[in-house]
Amino acid sequence: MGDLTGKTALVTGASRGIGRGIAQRFAGDGALVAVHYGSKDTAAKETVESILDAGGRAFAVGAELGAPGAVEALFAAFDAELAASGAEPGLDILVNNAALNFPGRIDEVSYEEFDRTLAVNIRAPFFLAQHGLRRMRDGGRVINISSAVTSTAHPAQIAYSVSKGGLDTLTLALAKDLGPRGITVNTLAPGWVETDVTASRRATPEGRAALAAYSVFNRIGRPTDIADVAAFLASDDSRWITGQRIDVTGGSTL
């Protein structure tokens, strides 16, 4: 019996990377996990299979976040999968992890890239929260995955930085609004993590060493480093913490 036994969680962008790590950890702690994916259905199935093989419970739900009607489609699939699995309707934990990044400075980012970044990284979490909260039981959890870019200047990722700054602000507003329901809302802000996003920068020994040097521990973060903190925020042990941005960069911003 884990800390999340009897809970239902939805993790967006859970087909790989940090999202996959969080989904696997939640399932290991007893939750039924909805593994959201955008287009990588094969990777999502691998995440689900890894959870099932470990004795956990999970199902996949697909939706291209940022597209019209995507949030509604995601929750329609979520509700249907819950019913098909014989689980009680409702939601206990929402993790807004899915994101994209078009690198570029202020004079390099196009209208289309900026709009797409905000559509996926902040508009989608906003409406995922709106629809998710209609299903969320009192005492639930909302966990937003932000980034270290909101605490230090990253001119070469300006659109991404702006979108993640909006996510930090969403956390504050929701935490204040949902307190009476006992729902906590917090942000996790990772730094460099060993995911597909950083694969090219880790391709050489020099590149790997450069990323590792950001942390006081002289290593690159792992998805489990983020997932373990997310599991704490999802548990009852974090009941007195809300509206917080928690740095999970391994001391990269010290």
Side-chain angles (χ1 to χ4, degrees), residues 61-74:
V61 287
E64 283 282 2
L65 295 180
V71 170
E72 291 81 359
L74 189 159

Side-chain angles (χ1 to χ4, degrees), residues 91-144:
L91 179 65
D92 299 287
I93 305 158
L94 170 64
V95 179
N96 284 311
N97 168 72
L100 55 77
N101 183 7
F102 290 103
R105 295 177 180 272
I106 186 67
D107 59 342
E108 299 170 329
V109 178
S110 68
Y111 278 100
E112 292 76 15
E113 290 170 339
F114 186 82
D115 287 348
R116 178 65 175 157
T117 300
L118 266 63
V120 174
N121 296 6
I122 182 59
R123 190 179 73 194
F126 183 99
F127 287 103
L128 283 163
Q130 183 187 82
H131 285 260
L133 288 167
R134 296 170 184 168
R135 296 162 171 81
M136 187 169 286
R137 289 175 271 268
D138 289 356
R141 301 285 186 265
V142 178
I143 303 170
N144 294 321

Side-chain angles (χ1 to χ4, degrees), residues 73-93:
L74 189 159
F75 274 108
F78 172 82
D79 293 340
E81 288 289 347
L82 281 184
S85 67
E88 290 291 324
L91 179 65
D92 299 287
I93 305 158

Side-chain angles (χ1 to χ4, degrees), residues 68-246:
V71 170
E72 291 81 359
L74 189 159
F75 274 108
F78 172 82
D79 293 340
E81 288 289 347
L82 281 184
S85 67
E88 290 291 324
L91 179 65
D92 299 287
I93 305 158
L94 170 64
V95 179
N96 284 311
N97 168 72
L100 55 77
N101 183 7
F102 290 103
R105 295 177 180 272
I106 186 67
D107 59 342
E108 299 170 329
V109 178
S110 68
Y111 278 100
E112 292 76 15
E113 290 170 339
F114 186 82
D115 287 348
R116 178 65 175 157
T117 300
L118 266 63
V120 174
N121 296 6
I122 182 59
R123 190 179 73 194
F126 183 99
F127 287 103
L128 283 163
Q130 183 187 82
H131 285 260
L133 288 167
R134 296 170 184 168
R135 296 162 171 81
M136 187 169 286
R137 289 175 271 268
D138 289 356
R141 301 285 186 265
V142 178
I143 303 170
N144 294 321
I145 307 301
S146 182
S147 170
V149 300
T150 66
S151 60
T152 55
H154 287 265
Q157 300 182 70
I158 190 166
Y160 180 76
S161 300
V162 168
S163 70
K164 290 300 187 178
L167 196 60
D168 289 356
T169 301
L170 178 65
T171 292
L172 291 173
L174 287 179
K176 181 79 169 180
D177 200 26
L178 299 175
R181 291 183 56 190
I183 296 172
T184 68
V185 187
N186 291 289
T187 290
L188 290 180
W192 297 110
V193 181
E194 293 193 0
T195 66
D196 291 351
V197 175
T198 62
S200 62
R201 301 192 64 161
R202 295 184 282 110
T204 65
E206 295 79 13
R208 172 172 285 276
L211 295 188
Y214 278 90
S215 168
V216 298
F217 303 117
N218 196 37
R219 72 168 174 85
I220 305 171
R222 307 180 187 101
T224 53
D225 294 325
I226 316 304
D228 289 348
V229 184
F232 165 69
L233 290 179
S235 75
D236 188 57
D237 290 344
S238 68
R239 61 192 175 277
W240 204 235
I241 301 173
T242 196
Q244 300 305 302
R245 177 187 180 279
I246 300 175

